[in-house]
Amino acid sequence: MEMCPYEMEDIFNYIPRYFRHVIPDDWNTYGSRNNKVDLLDRLSDDDYDWNKISRKMGNKFEVVEIWKIQNPRTYGRYAKRADKYRTWFDREPKRWQLFHGTQPENVKSIIDQNFDLRNLHTKETSFYFTGEGVYFTNSAAYADWCVGGHNKTCFMFNCEVLIDSIKTVNDPKLVRYGPPARRGFKQEVADLRDDGIEPHPSIVYDTTARGDKDEYVKFRRNEYYPTHLIMYSRW
């Protein structure tokens, strides 16, 4: 059986007291006060999440292993961001399940620290078709294209992404650092503040999408969380 990269299995994380109330009920907690978790919880092939993710992966790939990622600190920051969404938009945020393909050398840092926007501007950015942000997709094939290379065994993440409204764009220069605000946003900001609500910085659009691709881009930290690491084989 293949192992998770970087020997990250059987690493225990302690749950900070201030995040314990947001930890999902289906996480496997341990300790006398249930105050620690396995960083990576290996799923069995009869697990509900395994079957759901495998079906979404389609028949182009063979799923080898799936691990549920249980990082209380990065999840806690994501949960706090979701609370802000409720304040900004005065409604429950939409949580999309999307893929993110990456190279093996990035797997550990994503599990440890979530996707880090600070790294984006230290690398070549010529492939950022929809702005310089973190890319997600509903298509496993497209995520695999982002992985690139010729390895038979690869990795991608299944992620939960907060998305309220999407701006479709075709010119990356227009959305390099984030989607534009909607026309008339100044009045909307004033109205929200009169009601005691602090509006979202982008007022309407928090995500961009490319018109000809299944591609969604986030520009702000902690609006996403990698829920599962998927090891898969290309046929």
Side-chain angles (χ1 to χ4, degrees):
M1 179 180 294
E2 298 207 47
M3 295 297 293
C4 184
Y6 311 105
E7 299 179 349
M8 295 185 69
E9 291 189 296
D10 299 324
I11 294 179
F12 291 95
N13 271 340
Y14 285 91
I15 305 173
R17 181 172 299 174
Y18 46 85
F19 282 154
R20 288 179 190 172
H21 67 288
V22 301
I23 296 304
D25 293 337
D26 63 349
W27 280 25
N28 293 322
T29 57
Y30 303 92
S32 58
R33 296 183 179 179
N34 294 331
N35 64 345
K36 62 181 180 179
V37 293
D38 259 324
L39 178 62
L40 293 176
D41 183 25
R42 184 192 294 269
L43 302 184
S44 63
D45 58 10
D46 60 352
D47 186 276
Y48 173 79
D49 285 341
W50 174 295
N51 291 319
K52 181 179 178 180
I53 293 170
S54 296
R55 287 194 301 270
K56 192 174 179 182
M57 290 279 289
N59 56 12
K60 291 186 177 181
F61 311 106
E62 178 185 8
V63 174
V64 179
E65 294 288 349
I66 300 178
W67 293 267
K68 182 167 63 177
I69 300 171
Q70 301 181 144
N71 187 327
R73 286 175 174 79
T74 58
Y75 184 85
R77 298 185 192 106
Y78 166 76
K80 288 179 66 177
R81 194 66 169 177
D83 285 339
K84 284 192 174 183
Y85 261 61
R86 296 185 186 94
T87 301
W88 287 333
F89 300 115
D90 196 26
R91 56 181 175 268
E92 186 67 23
K94 303 166 189 171
R95 302 170 188 262
W96 290 33
Q97 297 293 316
L98 300 172
F99 292 119
H100 178 93
T102 191
Q103 289 71 42
E105 60 267 23
N106 299 328
V107 168
K108 182 178 186 300
S109 66
I110 292 171
I111 293 173
D112 283 344
Q113 304 171 28
N114 207 334
F115 302 98
D116 193 343
L117 287 165
R118 293 173 297 181
N119 292 334
L120 294 175
H121 305 291
T122 62
K123 303 175 182 178
E124 291 294 329
T125 58
S126 59
F127 64 91
Y128 290 127
F129 302 117
T130 323
E132 295 182 7
V134 183
Y135 278 54
F136 300 95
T137 177
N138 201 42
S139 166
Y142 189 46
D144 178 68
W145 176 83
C146 295
V147 172
H150 302 285
N151 294 340
K152 182 177 180 181
T153 301
C154 304
F155 298 92
M156 73 172 65
F157 289 93
N158 185 65
C159 307
E160 188 172 284
V161 183
L162 299 175
I163 294 180
D164 187 83
S165 56
I166 299 169
K167 175 67 174 178
T168 301
V169 295
N170 293 294
D171 184 353
K173 295 178 182 178
L174 298 178
V175 292
R176 185 176 180 188
Y177 299 117
R182 191 178 66 176
R183 183 179 300 174
F185 75 96
K186 291 183 179 180
Q187 184 60 49
E188 189 167 343
V189 168
D191 292 342
L192 287 170
R193 287 179 172 161
D194 286 344
D195 293 336
I197 299 173
E198 185 60 28
H200 187 274
S202 67
I203 196 59
V204 174
Y205 306 112
D206 64 327
T207 305
T208 63
R210 188 177 175 189
D212 61 341
K213 292 287 185 182
D214 188 357
E215 183 177 85
Y216 304 92
V217 187
K218 302 295 295 184
F219 297 86
R220 295 177 179 85
R221 298 170 63 184
N222 302 319
E223 294 184 357
Y224 32 74
Y225 177 76
T227 58
H228 298 88
L229 171 64
I230 306 164
M231 176 189 288
Y232 67 97
S233 291
R234 294 162 168 165
W235 291 109

